[in-house]
Amino acid sequence: MAAKIIRNGTIVTAADTYQADVLIEDGIIKQIGLGLTAEGAEIVDAAGKYVFPGGVDPHTHLDMPFGGTVTADDFESGTRAAAFGGTTTIIDFCLTDKGKPLSDSLQKWHAKADGRAVIDYSFHLMIGEINDAVLAELPSIVKDEGITSFKVFMAYKNVFQADDGTLYRTMLSAKELGAMVMVHAENGDVIEFLVEKALAEGNTDPIYHALTRPSAIEGEATARAAALAELTGARLYVVHVTCAEAVKAISEARTRGVDVWGETCPQYLVLDQSYLALPDFEGAKYVWSPPLREKSHQEVLWNALITGQLQTLGSDQCSFNFKGQKDLGRGDFSKIPNGGPVIEDRFSILYSEGVAKGRLTLNQFVDIVATRNAKLFGLFPRKGTIAVGSDADIVIFDPGAERTISAESHHMNVDYNPFEGIQVSGVPESVLSRGEFVIRNQAYVGTAGTGQFVKRTTYKQPDANDSGKKEKVRQL
């Protein structure tokens, strides 16, 4: 692996913005300074460009079965699209089956990713039930597998939803193990009632997906999860926050000293509920959960990111084709597969709508899109920053370029883009994963299978330094 020197760029981290060169050797950042030299090093000119740490997307669903079908993007197409968008690490959700060992599900997810991913990845583990067998497995999942975050669904009744007792006991175990508990916070019991009522009344169009999942029940579930975290002392992460009620619940809990963190997604920052009312079933393209909200919630979410009440941005990538998948729900909105293709545009939308429009500083942008996720999920300082000893996961970003988002030019394996026609300022020009180009001058030069599974630390553990190790699965 030849050494590289990235020259003349402006390095931006969550804390600093400065001019310097970056020397990369063996996939690691070896030196940062002015006028760096190394014999035989390839020189990469980043004049006029920002040099960002690669994005860390904490929320993806690749090659995932749902609603009688499977997401359109697998670990190859999904991670390739992520790289085009400036993301160099993803954390995907490993679904589990009740009554079966957790390790079986993990093996299944490793098989999905191994040999396909073009960037590094890790997994969160879904907890759908708590019993002696599950509790016995969790310590090994955390310590040996390096999976330090558990996902509990408070929605999707009779599919994924766990009861409050399961959530509470998961939090108790996670607290003991130093793991993060993540929740999809909606009241699934109320949603089930409202969906059945809407269908019985003949209300079958996509807009009723939003109308049967009102923001108040996201706020209620968020407050309930925060209260259980307060009782147990667990660390809680609320995924895909969409509304003022949920922001309020998180903010109030944090004020009380609860260890709770909040994520939103780009779709909730720039799209609104009116998209679900588009004619000719077009609204199905925008069916995901929680649903898009009335436009007034957007500014609440932006203000929460600006002030730190929400801390991270995930994509909730979960792509289904409009033709052949989303249309499974024609005549019954409850059968529309939930999810959208977002992984490629997460980075750009936050930069364009946040930094370019003056809402966020460059440093806030890096923290939200990369650093905070790496810290919360046990990847920092290996991932999420530009520092000596960190992996050389780097985005060379042209702030002066513009592009128009379109399904015709995106790299996801899906037939539409929810952000179709939106013009964004700033383009990831080149992207390196552990010192090797995956994207170079906006062209794909990566190789499927070069992405590695990354074991993560718990939030109780000090970061270990293994930057010299090169085994296939690397421990932090």
Side-chain angles (χ1 to χ4, degrees):
M1 187 183 294
K4 296 180 179 68
I5 298 175
I6 300 174
R7 281 217 175 120
N8 305 319
T10 299
I11 295 172
V12 186
T13 69
D16 297 299
T17 306
Y18 60 98
Q19 296 272 327
D21 303 339
V22 181
L23 171 62
I24 300 165
E25 292 179 353
D26 298 322
I28 303 297
I29 296 172
K30 285 297 173 79
Q31 201 173 347
I32 299 172
L34 293 171
L36 299 182
T37 60
E39 188 175 347
E42 176 186 356
I43 305 300
V44 180
D45 186 13
K49 314 288 169 58
Y50 291 128
V51 180
F52 291 135
V56 178
D57 189 342
H59 190 160
T60 69
H61 302 280
L62 301 177
D63 197 357
M64 186 193 83
F66 184 86
T69 187
V70 179
T71 52
D73 281 292
D74 63 11
F75 275 84
E76 183 171 353
S77 67
T79 57
R80 184 171 61 241
F84 268 105
T87 292
T88 55
T89 306
I90 63 164
I91 314 179
D92 200 76
F93 285 93
C94 171
L95 302 184
T96 57
D97 298 307
K98 290 183 178 180
K100 294 183 180 179
L102 301 175
S103 56
D104 287 2
S105 298
L106 280 176
Q107 287 175 12
K108 191 184 300 182
W109 247 255
H110 278 296
K112 290 173 186 281
D114 191 41
R116 293 182 179 87
V118 305
I119 58 174
D120 289 353
Y121 59 94
S122 189
F123 302 138
H124 309 293
L125 185 72
M126 171 189 162
I127 304 293
E129 61 181 346
I130 281 286
N131 52 42
D132 289 345
V134 170
L135 289 170
E137 271 198 277
L138 290 181
S140 175
I141 295 289
V142 171
K143 184 178 179 183
D144 301 328
E145 302 291 338
I147 292 173
T148 58
S149 43
F150 307 143
K151 168 77 170 288
V152 178
F153 285 91
M154 302 172 76
Y156 299 114
K157 191 173 177 66
N158 302 319
V159 182
F160 297 140
Q161 184 177 332
D163 60 26
D164 286 352
T166 297
L167 176 56
Y168 183 79
R169 293 181 69 192
T170 299
M171 286 181 172
L172 288 175
S173 182
K175 166 67 173 173
E176 186 178 326
L177 296 169
M180 174 86 81
V181 176
M182 313 170 77
V183 290
H184 175 134
E186 290 183 290
N187 189 315
D189 294 330
V190 175
I191 290 168
E192 181 81 356
F193 173 82
L194 294 175
V195 168
E196 289 178 357
K197 182 174 183 289
L199 293 174
E201 293 171 353
N203 297 318
T204 62
D205 291 340
I207 186 62
Y208 286 94
H209 174 75
L211 299 179
T212 56
R213 306 176 89 102
S215 59
I217 62 175
E218 182 186 340
E220 180 275 329
T222 303
R224 181 159 35 104
L228 295 180
E230 189 169 17
L231 279 170
T232 58
R235 172 172 280 194
L236 176 67
Y237 182 96
V238 183
V239 301
H240 51 40
V241 172
T242 76
C243 63
E245 294 93 329
V247 169
K248 182 172 184 283
I250 291 169
S251 180
E252 288 178 350
R254 287 174 64 84
T255 299
R256 297 196 308 271
V258 184
D259 194 0
V260 56
W261 305 81
E263 163 201 287
T264 191
C265 309
Q267 52 271 40
Y268 303 116
L269 296 172
V270 298
L271 306 177
D272 63 68
Q273 184 177 299
S274 66
Y275 285 82
L276 282 96
L278 289 172
D280 302 323
F281 198 64
E282 196 85 5
K285 293 178 178 178
Y286 304 90
V287 167
W288 43 69
S289 298
L292 293 173
R293 303 299 185 189
E294 295 286 355
K295 198 169 183 64
S296 60
H297 291 274
Q298 290 179 358
E299 213 52 42
V300 176
L301 296 176
W302 276 112
N303 286 336
L305 284 175
I306 291 163
T307 60
Q309 296 172 77
L310 295 177
Q311 299 82 27
T312 70
L313 193 77
S315 67
D316 195 8
Q317 163 75 17
C318 193
S319 56
F320 296 100
N321 285 303
F322 181 55
K323 295 178 180 177
Q325 292 187 300
K326 289 282 188 179
D327 52 13
L328 292 170
R330 281 189 185 272
D332 183 347
F333 70 88
S334 71
K335 290 184 168 59
I336 300 169
N338 279 216
V342 181
I343 199 167
E344 187 167 349
D345 300 308
R346 179 186 75 106
F347 198 96
S348 291
I349 286 175
L350 187 68
Y351 179 86
S352 184
E353 295 291 321
V355 178
K357 292 191 175 180
R359 290 179 167 118
L360 300 171
T361 68
L362 280 168
N363 311 106
Q364 283 179 304
F365 164 77
V366 169
D367 195 46
I368 292 166
V369 86
T371 310
R372 184 62 50 183
N373 291 324
K375 287 180 175 179
L376 286 172
F377 291 105
L379 291 164
F380 187 86
R382 178 176 170 187
K383 308 289 189 184
T385 193
I386 294 177
V388 173
S390 297
D391 282 357
D393 295 349
I394 290 173
V395 177
I396 299 173
F397 187 87
D398 184 353
E402 293 187 341
R403 70 181 177 97
T404 301
I405 297 174
S406 175
E408 289 187 2
S409 56
H410 76 200
H411 302 88
M412 295 174 285
N413 185 36
V414 65
D415 63 3
Y416 79 99
N417 192 303
F419 308 112
E420 187 75 33
I422 292 179
Q423 188 172 56
V424 291
S425 300
V427 172
E429 183 180 272
S430 297
V431 178
L432 296 90
S433 173
R434 282 177 285 103
E436 293 297 303
F437 283 103
V438 180
I439 309 298
R440 187 157 197 171
N441 298 321
Q442 298 183 53
Y444 176 65
V445 294
T447 305
T450 54
Q452 295 179 356
F453 178 76
V454 184
K455 293 184 178 183
R456 296 180 284 122
T457 62
T458 66
Y459 65 83
K460 288 181 176 177
Q461 296 172 343
D463 293 305
N465 180 12
D466 80 325
S467 59
K469 295 184 181 179
K470 298 180 184 177
E471 64 268 27
K472 178 66 176 174
V473 177
R474 295 168 65 189
Q475 172 73 49
L476 274 168

